[in-house]
Amino acid sequence: MHELSIVMGIIEIAERQAKAADATIIDEVELDIGTLSGIETEALEFAWKQGVRQTMLEYAVKKINQIAGKARCLDCDAEFAIEKYEDACPICGEHLLDIIQGKELRVKSLLVS
Amino acid sequence: MCATCGCDSGGKTTFRLLDKDQQAEHDHKHVFAAGHDHAHSHFDSHDHVHNHSKTIIEVEQDVLLQNNLLAQRNRGYFDAKNILALNLVSSPGSGKTSLLERTLTDLKGQLDFAVIEGDQQTTNDADRIQATGTDVTQINTGKGCHLDAHMILHALQGLKPKENSVLLIENVGNLVCPAMFDLGEKERIVIISVTEGDDKPLKYPDMFHSSTLCIINKTDLLPYVPFDIEKVKANAKKINHHLEIIEVSCTTGEGLQVWYNWLKSKVLLPETT
C-alpha cells in the first residue's frame, strides 16, 4: 500500500502550491499517472479517501490522465506502445527496450479558489 | 520537531541503533512521522476581501520529488565518504538476512560494513546482524510497507558509517512498494529464492526493472522444487536487460564467491592523487 505515501505526497505538493497562491479551496487536482509508474488505480482510490480527510483536497475533484507506456527498441530503433515491461519489440522481437513514456507520476495542475 | 527536515516527532517510525557493548538496545533519540503532519487551520482570516474567482495553477511536479531530493542528499553523503550503499529488496523469507550474515562473517577483515535493517516490527534481524559484530540500526516502520530516503537520512545520523565502507540496507520484505522509493543507493539488489515461483519477475516487474543485480538464493534446494532456473533468468532479462544475475546458496556456500567478487568490484578505492 505505498499508494497512501503517494497520496500524502500529492497532498503536500497541492497544499503548498495552493497556499502560495493564497487560495483557500482546491476545487480540482489533475494528475498524470503512467501505466508503468507502479500505481494501482484501485489502491490509489482507497488511499485517497483516507488520505484527503481534513485537508484542502477533501472536496477536490480528482482528474487522472492515464499515460500509456511507450518504448524504443535498442536493437532496431523502433518506437511502439507497451503495456508491460516484459513486452517484446513488435518489429524484431527483442527485449532490449528503453522506456520513453509511461513512468510519469506527477501533479499536473490545480484549480483553486 | 526534527531540525533537519522539519518533520513532526509524533509518528510511529522508530530507530534503534544497537549498542555493541550492551545487549539491551536503547531507543535512538529520533522518532518521526512517516507521513508529515500538517496543521490544516484556515488561513482566510486576512483583512482583505478574497476574490473567489477560480485560478488554475500549473504545477507539473513529480509526486516523489521530496523523496528523490532526500535520496540525492543521501547519495551526496555516500559519495563524499566513499560509501558503497546497497539496497536489498525481496519478498519476506527469500533469505536477505541470511545472505547478510554470511557476507558479514565471510568478509570480516576484508571490507568495513554497516547495516540498516527495515522491518515493520521487532529488532530480530538487527540482533542477528549485531551478533556478527557489525554496526546496525533497526528501522521499524510500524504500518509502513517500505523504507524511504527520509528514514535512511535519520538512520545515518545515528549509525555514522565509516568512510570507504559498504552500507547494506535491508528493505522491508515486500516486492511491490520499495520499488518506487529511491534511498540514494548505488545499486539495488533484488533477491529471490528457488522456493518462490519462476514467474516472479513477471508478476512483480517494477522491482526487477529498477534493480541492477538479481541474486537467486537457496540453490541447494533446486532438486526438490519445481523451479526452472533458466526460465526465471529469461523472465528477469525480459523485464530488465541490464540485470546481472548471481546464483547462490547461503546454506552450502555455493556461488557466494561470485557475489563477493561482485561486491568487491563495486567498492571504490579512495582517490589518493
Side-chain angles (χ1 to χ4, degrees):
Chain A
M1 265 299 284
H2 56 286
E3 280 78 4
L4 188 58
S5 304
I6 299 303
V7 170
M8 301 311 280
I10 294 170
I11 295 168
E12 201 177 322
I13 292 169
E15 289 197 328
R16 201 185 315 122
Q17 295 274 344
K19 285 175 186 174
D22 244 350
T24 49
I25 301 165
I26 301 176
D27 299 282
E28 199 180 292
V29 55
E30 186 183 8
L31 308 172
D32 283 345
I33 300 182
T35 53
L36 300 170
S37 67
I39 292 296
E40 195 63 56
T41 321
E42 270 179 38
L44 183 75
E45 287 297 335
F46 181 76
W48 186 268
K49 283 185 198 135
Q50 306 299 319
V52 298
R53 278 188 197 157
Q54 294 177 5
T55 74
M56 289 175 79
L57 281 170
E58 188 162 7
Y59 303 108
V61 174
K62 168 165 52 58
K63 214 174 117 189
I64 296 179
N65 306 323
Q66 281 227 347
I67 300 181
K70 213 168 158 188
R72 181 183 294 116
C73 178
L74 298 176
D75 235 28
C76 73
D77 229 23
E79 272 185 28
F80 48 91
I82 61 164
E83 281 177 25
K84 293 175 285 191
Y85 286 123
E86 67 187 88
D87 289 353
C89 170
I91 312 294
C92 70
E94 282 298 333
H95 286 277
L96 301 171
L97 310 186
D98 190 13
I99 309 296
I100 53 177
Q101 185 185 292
K103 298 195 77 172
E104 298 77 3
L105 180 54
R106 59 178 175 239
V107 179
K108 186 168 169 56
S109 72
L110 298 172
L111 182 65
V112 300
S113 51
Chain B
M1 182 182 278
C2 162
T4 314
C5 51
C7 63
D8 199 324
S9 59
K12 294 184 193 77
T13 301
T14 59
F15 298 80
R16 282 190 198 88
L17 175 66
L18 271 68
D19 195 325
K20 255 197 282 190
D21 305 320
Q22 296 168 16
Q23 272 309 316
E25 79 251 11
H26 60 87
D27 271 338
H28 178 53
K29 50 195 172 289
H30 200 90
V31 179
F32 76 99
H36 292 253
D37 279 345
H38 299 272
H40 297 296
S41 54
H42 289 282
F43 53 96
D44 53 354
S45 57
H46 309 291
D47 291 329
H48 66 274
V49 178
H50 270 298
N51 171 8
H52 282 286
S53 64
K54 295 188 191 301
T55 316
I56 293 174
I57 306 173
E58 297 293 343
V59 183
E60 298 282 352
Q61 207 177 93
D62 197 312
V63 174
L64 291 167
L65 179 73
Q66 206 54 36
N67 183 75
N68 294 343
L69 288 174
L70 288 171
Q72 285 299 65
R73 182 166 161 177
N74 292 344
R75 198 164 271 126
Y77 173 87
F78 297 140
D79 282 347
K81 290 182 158 279
N82 203 44
I83 293 168
L84 173 67
L86 305 173
N87 180 5
L88 286 87
V89 292
S90 82
S91 325
S94 66
K96 287 189 298 298
T97 314
S98 301
L99 180 71
L100 292 192
E101 280 177 313
R102 279 295 300 242
T103 306
L104 297 170
T105 309
D106 291 351
L107 298 185
K108 202 170 209 165
Q110 298 181 50
L111 295 173
D112 269 328
F113 289 100
V115 175
I116 294 174
E117 281 288 340
D119 284 296
Q120 288 196 323
Q121 305 283 342
T122 83
T123 57
N124 293 355
D125 283 0
D127 292 340
R128 287 170 62 185
I129 299 301
Q130 190 196 18
T132 69
T134 311
D135 290 343
V136 55
T137 285
Q138 175 80 53
I139 302 178
N140 283 136
T141 58
K143 297 274 180 276
C145 51
H146 58 269
L147 296 179
D148 62 30
H150 189 185
M151 296 177 193
I152 298 304
L153 187 148
H154 286 303
L156 289 171
Q157 289 167 342
L159 187 61
K160 300 185 185 72
K162 287 189 198 126
E163 287 198 13
N164 310 316
S165 64
V166 178
L167 175 68
L168 299 163
I169 304 167
E170 183 179 335
N171 217 311
V172 178
N174 177 344
L175 265 183
V176 185
C177 311
M180 295 192 76
F181 296 85
D182 184 7
L183 306 180
E185 72 268 23
K186 188 93 175 175
E187 309 267 351
R188 186 174 293 180
I189 303 172
V190 59
I191 297 156
I192 70 166
S193 58
V194 305
T195 51
E196 301 169 46
D198 46 31
D199 55 352
K200 212 136 212 195
L202 303 181
K203 282 178 167 172
Y204 301 96
D206 291 307
M207 196 61 94
F208 287 84
H209 191 260
S210 65
S211 295
T212 42
L213 173 69
C214 172
I215 293 181
I216 304 175
N217 191 20
K218 309 189 190 177
T219 53
D220 54 300
L221 298 178
L222 274 173
Y224 314 106
V225 290
F227 181 90
D228 186 338
I229 202 157
E230 292 311 317
K231 198 162 145 195
V232 78
K233 286 194 213 166
N235 284 337
K237 286 280 193 185
K238 268 188 202 170
I239 301 292
N240 178 359
H241 57 91
H242 295 295
L243 197 67
E244 290 181 73
I245 299 173
I246 296 176
E247 300 162 37
V248 305
S249 162
C250 290
T251 307
T252 65
E254 192 188 359
L256 284 175
Q257 198 53 52
V258 183
W259 151 240
Y260 297 154
N261 290 344
W262 182 93
L263 193 57
K264 287 175 185 168
S265 76
K266 299 290 173 184
V267 175
L268 296 173
L269 294 172
E271 299 271 351
T272 49
T273 51

